[in-house]
Amino acid sequence: DGPGNMGFSGHAHEVDQNCQTAHQQVRFVVDHYPRRDGLKTYFIESGKSHAGWELSRTGYSIGHSIAEGYIRNEIGPNGFDRVREPGRDDMVFLGYDDAEIRVGPEENTRIRLHHPDGGTAYALSYKPQKWAENLEGGTKPHLGLLGHYHKHSWISPRNMQVMTGGCVCWQTPFMSRKGIAAHVCGYIIEMAVDADGSIREFTPRQFPFYRPGSRYVGIGEAAA
């Protein structure tokens, strides 16, 4: 969600105490993001929000540091020492805001990863539909995967498959105040494609997660 010491006023109170700085967030992801033998994660980050707050202010890239490692200063017997922290060799950072992955037997099926700007809309499909409408001719992917909105949806505009893939962050107090829901889920997508890259079969399987409970006060017990 971006370093707690940046972002909106009060953001530090909504971020874990061990994730207040960019280096702490990198360390948290490196230590806790799931690792599976034979699987790699290809990812982008925002250049303007969340991790992008750090990038725009200091030039430090959280995503690049997760994948490639980083150097931090540590106080030693002779003053400050420069310590190399390793990254994750199973995580591949593709850059900021927009990246294309090619898959299929001849790598002709184009998947676009996109982190948009602005807030969520009144209708789940509105923002991904406008994104699809505004793509220039000749630049359309076969599949567009959009983040940022914390929603899940699936539409097929302009002969493309376009999905907003949900999120892995529970609704924060900020989102609750703004009336923004969080669709916590993941997908496994199965596709059958032609040699030219066209998608002939498209089957997304959703795996939703639900918060185990909410905080409450029992008035009767409190009165007793």
Side-chain angles (χ1 to χ4, degrees), residues 177-206:
R177 293 194 302 271
K178 297 293 185 180
I180 301 172
H183 298 171
V184 181
C185 66
Y187 281 91
I188 291 178
I189 298 173
E190 296 180 355
M191 298 188 296
V193 301
D194 284 346
D196 65 356
S198 300
I199 298 175
R200 296 303 179 186
E201 295 181 14
F202 187 80
T203 307
R205 288 190 290 148
Q206 186 193 60

PDB file of all heavy atoms in Angstrom, residues 177-206:
ATOM      1  N   ARG A 177     -13.888   4.803   4.660  1.00  0.00           N
ATOM      2  CA  ARG A 177     -14.386   6.183   4.723  1.00  0.00           C
ATOM      3  C   ARG A 177     -14.827   6.680   3.358  1.00  0.00           C
ATOM      4  O   ARG A 177     -15.768   7.466   3.238  1.00  0.00           O
ATOM      5  CB  ARG A 177     -13.297   7.111   5.276  1.00  0.00           C
ATOM      6  CG  ARG A 177     -12.940   6.882   6.717  1.00  0.00           C
ATOM      7  CD  ARG A 177     -12.112   8.038   7.270  1.00  0.00           C
ATOM      8  NE  ARG A 177     -10.891   8.253   6.507  1.00  0.00           N
ATOM      9  CZ  ARG A 177      -9.739   7.639   6.775  1.00  0.00           C
ATOM     10  NH1 ARG A 177      -9.676   6.747   7.762  1.00  0.00           N
ATOM     11  NH2 ARG A 177      -8.661   7.909   6.063  1.00  0.00           N
ATOM     12  N   LYS A 178     -14.148   6.233   2.300  1.00  0.00           N
ATOM     13  CA  LYS A 178     -14.453   6.670   0.947  1.00  0.00           C
ATOM     14  C   LYS A 178     -15.537   5.823   0.279  1.00  0.00           C
ATOM     15  O   LYS A 178     -15.916   6.089  -0.865  1.00  0.00           O
ATOM     16  CB  LYS A 178     -13.188   6.623   0.082  1.00  0.00           C
ATOM     17  CG  LYS A 178     -12.079   7.566   0.537  1.00  0.00           C
ATOM     18  CD  LYS A 178     -12.463   9.020   0.357  1.00  0.00           C
ATOM     19  CE  LYS A 178     -11.303   9.949   0.699  1.00  0.00           C
ATOM     20  NZ  LYS A 178     -11.664  11.371   0.519  1.00  0.00           N
ATOM     21  N   GLY A 179     -16.029   4.797   0.979  1.00  0.00           N
ATOM     22  CA  GLY A 179     -17.042   3.925   0.392  1.00  0.00           C
ATOM     23  C   GLY A 179     -16.505   3.053  -0.729  1.00  0.00           C
ATOM     24  O   GLY A 179     -17.199   2.797  -1.710  1.00  0.00           O
ATOM     25  N   ILE A 180     -15.255   2.577  -0.579  1.00  0.00           N
ATOM     26  CA  ILE A 180     -14.599   1.759  -1.602  1.00  0.00           C
ATOM     27  C   ILE A 180     -14.490   0.327  -1.094  1.00  0.00           C
ATOM     28  O   ILE A 180     -13.884   0.077  -0.053  1.00  0.00           O
ATOM     29  CB  ILE A 180     -13.198   2.309  -1.937  1.00  0.00           C
ATOM     30  CG1 ILE A 180     -13.295   3.756  -2.431  1.00  0.00           C
ATOM     31  CG2 ILE A 180     -12.511   1.436  -2.967  1.00  0.00           C
ATOM     32  CD1 ILE A 180     -11.949   4.429  -2.587  1.00  0.00           C
ATOM     33  N   ALA A 181     -15.077  -0.593  -1.810  1.00  0.00           N
ATOM     34  CA  ALA A 181     -15.002  -1.999  -1.421  1.00  0.00           C
ATOM     35  C   ALA A 181     -13.673  -2.601  -1.857  1.00  0.00           C
ATOM     36  O   ALA A 181     -13.012  -2.108  -2.774  1.00  0.00           O
ATOM     37  CB  ALA A 181     -16.157  -2.778  -2.046  1.00  0.00           C
ATOM     38  N   ALA A 182     -13.280  -3.686  -1.210  1.00  0.00           N
ATOM     39  CA  ALA A 182     -12.083  -4.439  -1.581  1.00  0.00           C
ATOM     40  C   ALA A 182     -12.493  -5.861  -1.917  1.00  0.00           C
ATOM     41  O   ALA A 182     -13.036  -6.560  -1.067  1.00  0.00           O
ATOM     42  CB  ALA A 182     -11.062  -4.424  -0.444  1.00  0.00           C
ATOM     43  N   HIS A 183     -12.252  -6.270  -3.161  1.00  0.00           N
ATOM     44  CA  HIS A 183     -12.552  -7.636  -3.591  1.00  0.00           C
ATOM     45  C   HIS A 183     -11.267  -8.450  -3.462  1.00  0.00           C
ATOM     46  O   HIS A 183     -10.418  -8.448  -4.361  1.00  0.00           O
ATOM     47  CB  HIS A 183     -13.050  -7.647  -5.033  1.00  0.00           C
ATOM     48  CG  HIS A 183     -14.322  -6.889  -5.230  1.00  0.00           C
ATOM     49  ND1 HIS A 183     -14.854  -6.609  -6.475  1.00  0.00           N
ATOM     50  CD2 HIS A 183     -15.202  -6.352  -4.331  1.00  0.00           C
ATOM     51  CE1 HIS A 183     -15.986  -5.943  -6.333  1.00  0.00           C
ATOM     52  NE2 HIS A 183     -16.214  -5.770  -5.038  1.00  0.00           N
ATOM     53  N   VAL A 184     -11.115  -9.126  -2.355  1.00  0.00           N
ATOM     54  CA  VAL A 184      -9.885  -9.878  -2.086  1.00  0.00           C
ATOM     55  C   VAL A 184     -10.013 -11.253  -2.739  1.00  0.00           C
ATOM     56  O   VAL A 184     -10.839 -12.068  -2.346  1.00  0.00           O
ATOM     57  CB  VAL A 184      -9.643 -10.012  -0.576  1.00  0.00           C
ATOM     58  CG1 VAL A 184      -8.340 -10.767  -0.303  1.00  0.00           C
ATOM     59  CG2 VAL A 184      -9.597  -8.631   0.075  1.00  0.00           C
ATOM     60  N   CYS A 185      -9.203 -11.478  -3.762  1.00  0.00           N
ATOM     61  CA  CYS A 185      -9.309 -12.728  -4.507  1.00  0.00           C
ATOM     62  C   CYS A 185      -8.103 -12.888  -5.425  1.00  0.00           C
ATOM     63  O   CYS A 185      -7.283 -11.991  -5.569  1.00  0.00           O
ATOM     64  CB  CYS A 185     -10.599 -12.757  -5.345  1.00  0.00           C
ATOM     65  SG  CYS A 185     -10.657 -11.530  -6.680  1.00  0.00           S
ATOM     66  N   GLY A 186      -8.026 -14.047  -6.029  1.00  0.00           N
ATOM     67  CA  GLY A 186      -7.041 -14.314  -7.063  1.00  0.00           C
ATOM     68  C   GLY A 186      -7.692 -15.131  -8.165  1.00  0.00           C
ATOM     69  O   GLY A 186      -8.824 -15.616  -8.019  1.00  0.00           O
ATOM     70  N   TYR A 187      -6.988 -15.285  -9.286  1.00  0.00           N
ATOM     71  CA  TYR A 187      -7.520 -16.035 -10.429  1.00  0.00           C
ATOM     72  C   TYR A 187      -6.470 -16.996 -10.966  1.00  0.00           C
ATOM     73  O   TYR A 187      -5.263 -16.708 -10.942  1.00  0.00           O
ATOM     74  CB  TYR A 187      -7.901 -15.086 -11.574  1.00  0.00           C
ATOM     75  CG  TYR A 187      -9.215 -14.387 -11.407  1.00  0.00           C
ATOM     76  CD1 TYR A 187      -9.287 -13.144 -10.789  1.00  0.00           C
ATOM     77  CD2 TYR A 187     -10.399 -14.958 -11.879  1.00  0.00           C
ATOM     78  CE1 TYR A 187     -10.494 -12.484 -10.643  1.00  0.00           C
ATOM     79  CE2 TYR A 187     -11.608 -14.297 -11.734  1.00  0.00           C
ATOM     80  CZ  TYR A 187     -11.648 -13.066 -11.116  1.00  0.00           C
ATOM     81  OH  TYR A 187     -12.852 -12.420 -10.960  1.00  0.00           O
ATOM     82  N   ILE A 188      -6.930 -18.114 -11.451  1.00  0.00           N
ATOM     83  CA  ILE A 188      -6.152 -18.950 -12.365  1.00  0.00           C
ATOM     84  C   ILE A 188      -6.881 -18.901 -13.698  1.00  0.00           C
ATOM     85  O   ILE A 188      -8.082 -19.215 -13.770  1.00  0.00           O
ATOM     86  CB  ILE A 188      -6.027 -20.398 -11.865  1.00  0.00           C
ATOM     87  CG1 ILE A 188      -5.148 -20.450 -10.614  1.00  0.00           C
ATOM     88  CG2 ILE A 188      -5.442 -21.287 -12.960  1.00  0.00           C
ATOM     89  CD1 ILE A 188      -5.001 -21.849 -10.030  1.00  0.00           C
ATOM     90  N   ILE A 189      -6.188 -18.470 -14.729  1.00  0.00           N
ATOM     91  CA  ILE A 189      -6.792 -18.303 -16.054  1.00  0.00           C
ATOM     92  C   ILE A 189      -6.254 -19.381 -16.982  1.00  0.00           C
ATOM     93  O   ILE A 189      -5.041 -19.546 -17.129  1.00  0.00           O
ATOM     94  CB  ILE A 189      -6.489 -16.912 -16.636  1.00  0.00           C
ATOM     95  CG1 ILE A 189      -7.084 -15.825 -15.736  1.00  0.00           C
ATOM     96  CG2 ILE A 189      -7.035 -16.785 -18.052  1.00  0.00           C
ATOM     97  CD1 ILE A 189      -6.687 -14.424 -16.155  1.00  0.00           C
ATOM     98  N   GLU A 190      -7.163 -20.106 -17.611  1.00  0.00           N
ATOM     99  CA  GLU A 190      -6.793 -21.103 -18.614  1.00  0.00           C
ATOM    100  C   GLU A 190      -7.237 -20.593 -19.982  1.00  0.00           C
ATOM    101  O   GLU A 190      -8.374 -20.136 -20.154  1.00  0.00           O
ATOM    102  CB  GLU A 190      -7.450 -22.438 -18.304  1.00  0.00           C
ATOM    103  CG  GLU A 190      -6.976 -23.051 -16.993  1.00  0.00           C
ATOM    104  CD  GLU A 190      -7.645 -24.382 -16.698  1.00  0.00           C
ATOM    105  OE1 GLU A 190      -8.542 -24.771 -17.486  1.00  0.00           O
ATOM    106  OE2 GLU A 190      -7.278 -25.030 -15.703  1.00  0.00           O
ATOM    107  N   MET A 191      -6.328 -20.672 -20.959  1.00  0.00           N
ATOM    108  CA  MET A 191      -6.622 -20.181 -22.308  1.00  0.00           C
ATOM    109  C   MET A 191      -6.218 -21.203 -23.345  1.00  0.00           C
ATOM    110  O   MET A 191      -5.221 -21.907 -23.176  1.00  0.00           O
ATOM    111  CB  MET A 191      -5.883 -18.868 -22.590  1.00  0.00           C
ATOM    112  CG  MET A 191      -6.250 -17.709 -21.693  1.00  0.00           C
ATOM    113  SD  MET A 191      -5.499 -16.151 -22.246  1.00  0.00           S
ATOM    114  CE  MET A 191      -3.744 -16.517 -22.035  1.00  0.00           C
ATOM    115  N   ALA A 192      -6.979 -21.270 -24.422  1.00  0.00           N
ATOM    116  CA  ALA A 192      -6.578 -21.991 -25.631  1.00  0.00           C
ATOM    117  C   ALA A 192      -6.371 -20.936 -26.713  1.00  0.00           C
ATOM    118  O   ALA A 192      -7.249 -20.093 -26.946  1.00  0.00           O
ATOM    119  CB  ALA A 192      -7.647 -22.993 -26.048  1.00  0.00           C
ATOM    120  N   VAL A 193      -5.204 -20.944 -27.348  1.00  0.00           N
ATOM    121  CA  VAL A 193      -4.867 -19.891 -28.305  1.00  0.00           C
ATOM    122  C   VAL A 193      -4.460 -20.491 -29.649  1.00  0.00           C
ATOM    123  O   VAL A 193      -3.999 -21.636 -29.736  1.00  0.00           O
ATOM    124  CB  VAL A 193      -3.725 -18.997 -27.759  1.00  0.00           C
ATOM    125  CG1 VAL A 193      -4.143 -18.359 -26.443  1.00  0.00           C
ATOM    126  CG2 VAL A 193      -2.436 -19.790 -27.565  1.00  0.00           C
ATOM    127  N   ASP A 194      -4.647 -19.688 -30.697  1.00  0.00           N
ATOM    128  CA  ASP A 194      -4.203 -20.066 -32.035  1.00  0.00           C
ATOM    129  C   ASP A 194      -2.757 -19.634 -32.247  1.00  0.00           C
ATOM    130  O   ASP A 194      -2.186 -18.882 -31.455  1.00  0.00           O
ATOM    131  CB  ASP A 194      -5.090 -19.404 -33.095  1.00  0.00           C
ATOM    132  CG  ASP A 194      -6.444 -20.075 -33.219  1.00  0.00           C
ATOM    133  OD1 ASP A 194      -6.587 -21.192 -32.696  1.00  0.00           O
ATOM    134  OD2 ASP A 194      -7.347 -19.481 -33.838  1.00  0.00           O
ATOM    135  N   ALA A 195      -2.180 -20.081 -33.357  1.00  0.00           N
ATOM    136  CA  ALA A 195      -0.797 -19.727 -33.678  1.00  0.00           C
ATOM    137  C   ALA A 195      -0.618 -18.225 -33.848  1.00  0.00           C
ATOM    138  O   ALA A 195       0.463 -17.685 -33.588  1.00  0.00           O
ATOM    139  CB  ALA A 195      -0.337 -20.466 -34.934  1.00  0.00           C
ATOM    140  N   ASP A 196      -1.686 -17.528 -34.294  1.00  0.00           N
ATOM    141  CA  ASP A 196      -1.574 -16.080 -34.477  1.00  0.00           C
ATOM    142  C   ASP A 196      -1.782 -15.316 -33.171  1.00  0.00           C
ATOM    143  O   ASP A 196      -1.732 -14.084 -33.158  1.00  0.00           O
ATOM    144  CB  ASP A 196      -2.563 -15.594 -35.532  1.00  0.00           C
ATOM    145  CG  ASP A 196      -4.020 -15.768 -35.113  1.00  0.00           C
ATOM    146  OD1 ASP A 196      -4.273 -16.333 -34.031  1.00  0.00           O
ATOM    147  OD2 ASP A 196      -4.910 -15.339 -35.869  1.00  0.00           O
ATOM    148  N   GLY A 197      -2.028 -16.014 -32.081  1.00  0.00           N
ATOM    149  CA  GLY A 197      -2.195 -15.375 -30.790  1.00  0.00           C
ATOM    150  C   GLY A 197      -3.627 -15.233 -30.327  1.00  0.00           C
ATOM    151  O   GLY A 197      -3.880 -14.922 -29.162  1.00  0.00           O
ATOM    152  N   SER A 198      -4.604 -15.442 -31.225  1.00  0.00           N
ATOM    153  CA  SER A 198      -6.007 -15.259 -30.870  1.00  0.00           C
ATOM    154  C   SER A 198      -6.425 -16.219 -29.759  1.00  0.00           C
ATOM    155  O   SER A 198      -6.020 -17.386 -29.743  1.00  0.00           O
ATOM    156  CB  SER A 198      -6.902 -15.482 -32.091  1.00  0.00           C
ATOM    157  OG  SER A 198      -6.582 -14.576 -33.128  1.00  0.00           O
ATOM    158  N   ILE A 199      -7.230 -15.712 -28.857  1.00  0.00           N
ATOM    159  CA  ILE A 199      -7.749 -16.531 -27.761  1.00  0.00           C
ATOM    160  C   ILE A 199      -9.035 -17.199 -28.222  1.00  0.00           C
ATOM    161  O   ILE A 199     -10.010 -16.530 -28.560  1.00  0.00           O
ATOM    162  CB  ILE A 199      -8.002 -15.677 -26.510  1.00  0.00           C
ATOM    163  CG1 ILE A 199      -6.688 -15.054 -26.017  1.00  0.00           C
ATOM    164  CG2 ILE A 199      -8.636 -16.514 -25.399  1.00  0.00           C
ATOM    165  CD1 ILE A 199      -6.857 -14.104 -24.849  1.00  0.00           C
ATOM    166  N   ARG A 200      -9.056 -18.533 -28.225  1.00  0.00           N
ATOM    167  CA  ARG A 200     -10.229 -19.288 -28.664  1.00  0.00           C
ATOM    168  C   ARG A 200     -11.061 -19.786 -27.491  1.00  0.00           C
ATOM    169  O   ARG A 200     -12.271 -19.974 -27.628  1.00  0.00           O
ATOM    170  CB  ARG A 200      -9.796 -20.467 -29.540  1.00  0.00           C
ATOM    171  CG  ARG A 200      -9.130 -20.053 -30.834  1.00  0.00           C
ATOM    172  CD  ARG A 200     -10.042 -19.164 -31.644  1.00  0.00           C
ATOM    173  NE  ARG A 200      -9.421 -18.720 -32.888  1.00  0.00           N
ATOM    174  CZ  ARG A 200      -9.964 -17.835 -33.719  1.00  0.00           C
ATOM    175  NH1 ARG A 200     -11.123 -17.280 -33.410  1.00  0.00           N
ATOM    176  NH2 ARG A 200      -9.341 -17.487 -34.819  1.00  0.00           N
ATOM    177  N   GLU A 201     -10.423 -20.026 -26.369  1.00  0.00           N
ATOM    178  CA  GLU A 201     -11.128 -20.404 -25.146  1.00  0.00           C
ATOM    179  C   GLU A 201     -10.512 -19.637 -23.986  1.00  0.00           C
ATOM    180  O   GLU A 201      -9.293 -19.480 -23.922  1.00  0.00           O
ATOM    181  CB  GLU A 201     -11.025 -21.912 -24.882  1.00  0.00           C
ATOM    182  CG  GLU A 201     -11.720 -22.783 -25.919  1.00  0.00           C
ATOM    183  CD  GLU A 201     -11.592 -24.266 -25.583  1.00  0.00           C
ATOM    184  OE1 GLU A 201     -11.199 -24.572 -24.434  1.00  0.00           O
ATOM    185  OE2 GLU A 201     -11.866 -25.089 -26.469  1.00  0.00           O
ATOM    186  N   PHE A 202     -11.385 -19.169 -23.102  1.00  0.00           N
ATOM    187  CA  PHE A 202     -10.909 -18.336 -21.991  1.00  0.00           C
ATOM    188  C   PHE A 202     -11.701 -18.711 -20.746  1.00  0.00           C
ATOM    189  O   PHE A 202     -12.912 -18.519 -20.688  1.00  0.00           O
ATOM    190  CB  PHE A 202     -11.106 -16.851 -22.322  1.00  0.00           C
ATOM    191  CG  PHE A 202     -10.508 -15.908 -21.313  1.00  0.00           C
ATOM    192  CD1 PHE A 202      -9.149 -15.635 -21.332  1.00  0.00           C
ATOM    193  CD2 PHE A 202     -11.302 -15.302 -20.356  1.00  0.00           C
ATOM    194  CE1 PHE A 202      -8.587 -14.758 -20.413  1.00  0.00           C
ATOM    195  CE2 PHE A 202     -10.759 -14.434 -19.425  1.00  0.00           C
ATOM    196  CZ  PHE A 202      -9.403 -14.151 -19.461  1.00  0.00           C
ATOM    197  N   THR A 203     -11.020 -19.282 -19.744  1.00  0.00           N
ATOM    198  CA  THR A 203     -11.704 -19.770 -18.552  1.00  0.00           C
ATOM    199  C   THR A 203     -11.000 -19.240 -17.308  1.00  0.00           C
ATOM    200  O   THR A 203      -9.961 -19.771 -16.905  1.00  0.00           O
ATOM    201  CB  THR A 203     -11.720 -21.309 -18.504  1.00  0.00           C
ATOM    202  OG1 THR A 203     -12.258 -21.818 -19.721  1.00  0.00           O
ATOM    203  CG2 THR A 203     -12.556 -21.802 -17.337  1.00  0.00           C
ATOM    204  N   PRO A 204     -11.540 -18.183 -16.689  1.00  0.00           N
ATOM    205  CA  PRO A 204     -10.977 -17.713 -15.419  1.00  0.00           C
ATOM    206  C   PRO A 204     -11.628 -18.427 -14.242  1.00  0.00           C
ATOM    207  O   PRO A 204     -12.850 -18.572 -14.180  1.00  0.00           O
ATOM    208  CB  PRO A 204     -11.315 -16.216 -15.416  1.00  0.00           C
ATOM    209  CG  PRO A 204     -12.562 -16.116 -16.225  1.00  0.00           C
ATOM    210  CD  PRO A 204     -12.556 -17.265 -17.219  1.00  0.00           C
ATOM    211  N   ARG A 205     -10.812 -18.888 -13.319  1.00  0.00           N
ATOM    212  CA  ARG A 205     -11.311 -19.503 -12.085  1.00  0.00           C
ATOM    213  C   ARG A 205     -10.943 -18.595 -10.921  1.00  0.00           C
ATOM    214  O   ARG A 205      -9.764 -18.328 -10.683  1.00  0.00           O
ATOM    215  CB  ARG A 205     -10.715 -20.891 -11.880  1.00  0.00           C
ATOM    216  CG  ARG A 205     -11.253 -21.945 -12.842  1.00  0.00           C
ATOM    217  CD  ARG A 205     -10.808 -23.330 -12.411  1.00  0.00           C
ATOM    218  NE  ARG A 205      -9.375 -23.512 -12.606  1.00  0.00           N
ATOM    219  CZ  ARG A 205      -8.602 -24.269 -11.830  1.00  0.00           C
ATOM    220  NH1 ARG A 205      -9.127 -24.874 -10.782  1.00  0.00           N
ATOM    221  NH2 ARG A 205      -7.318 -24.406 -12.090  1.00  0.00           N
ATOM    222  N   GLN A 206     -11.961 -18.135 -10.220  1.00  0.00           N
ATOM    223  CA  GLN A 206     -11.742 -17.196  -9.127  1.00  0.00           C
ATOM    224  C   GLN A 206     -11.598 -17.916  -7.790  1.00  0.00           C
ATOM    225  O   GLN A 206     -12.287 -18.901  -7.522  1.00  0.00           O
ATOM    226  CB  GLN A 206     -12.902 -16.204  -9.036  1.00  0.00           C
ATOM    227  CG  GLN A 206     -12.674 -15.105  -8.010  1.00  0.00           C
ATOM    228  CD  GLN A 206     -13.947 -14.336  -7.709  1.00  0.00           C
ATOM    229  OE1 GLN A 206     -14.918 -14.911  -7.258  1.00  0.00           O
ATOM    230  NE2 GLN A 206     -13.921 -13.048  -7.988  1.00  0.00           N
TER     231      GLN A 206
END
